[in-house]
Amino acid sequence: MSKRTERSREPSPAATVDHRSGFAALVGRPNVGKSTLLNALMGEKLSIVTPRPQTTRHRVLGVHTTESAQIVFVDTPGLHRGGSRALNRAMNRTAAAALAEADLDVLVLEALQWTEEDELVLRRIAQGGRPALAAVNKIDRVRPRERLLPYLGELARRHAFVELVPVSGLKGKNLQPLTEAIARHLPVSPALFPKEQRTDRDERFRIAELIREKLTLVLAQELPYGIAVEIERAAEEEGQLTIDAAIWVDREGHKPIVIGARGERLKQVGRSARLELNRLLGRRLHLTLWVKVREGWADSARALRELGLE
Ligand code: GDP
Ligand code: MG
């Protein structure tokens, strides 16, 4: 996060005294809804979401600017146990690094649940010693709402959270109060990013990620996590964006699974990715997908680096 090292903590003369700005890291175990929450808070899909744990592999920033504050939301891969593969370790490192650089930790939880992995994440937060806020997500599943009260009570006993905010990222419930609570606990500071900037990720990244989302959805339980997408070529041709993307699988045997009978599965992925990208980017896209094999890439530090995962 190079921006951080450059900035000064002293409010500049131009900044009003109570302007706040800083990094708010959305942390939690896999699948609690961190990426859904980032997208809901930003009102725009910046991070991909699937029902599968470990969908998010990268740190993704969402920059939310108002008159009085600029919140830099940091979506992170879920901190998880085990996973001896290099990819799992890289994801945990990415999450831990985001946590280390945050001004405020936002622990995202699933309402009424407390698992060993939640405990693990809380221990990390406690070690960091920064202010932490708990966002209790998926409250749309809790009826009646009073059932939340004892859970919130337990949470307050587990850690000195600066605030506990129940939300639903999926249903858009209580997002404004969450945004305001986060802003209240950021340092007094001028804005860290230009007002117009919404994310740190470029179009290429968003295209690759969206393809991976569609792949993950289509493959459901059939394929483990050894899939990566790399944009090999992006060019403006005859008024449309032409993209060649490689889908990397880590075993020869996975290739036919991704391609499907008569190529149907790959076509379906291409179609749904293209439709959403047309909408998201507001322009037409010509997308060609190639399935390629790179034996054991998820275990290879070098392959991870080359795929931008380290
Ligand atoms: P992450 O791994 O923490 O980033 O979680 P995701 O954002 O990828 O979401 C994991 C799953 O939880 C997806 O199937 C989401 O649709 C679902 N989900 C996320 N937020 C909510 C919520 O507020 N309510 C419900 N019912 N489901 C949610
Ligand atoms: Mg995620």
Side-chain angles (χ1 to χ4, degrees), residues 185-197:
H185 296 285
L186 291 179
V188 171
S189 158
L192 306 173
F193 289 85
K195 271 212 299 278
E196 318 68 44
Q197 191 170 342

Side-chain angles (χ1 to χ4, degrees), residues 34-36 47-48 55-56 75-78:
K34 298 176 293 298
S35 299
T36 304
S47 202
I48 62 168
T55 298
T56 307
D75 188 19
T76 63

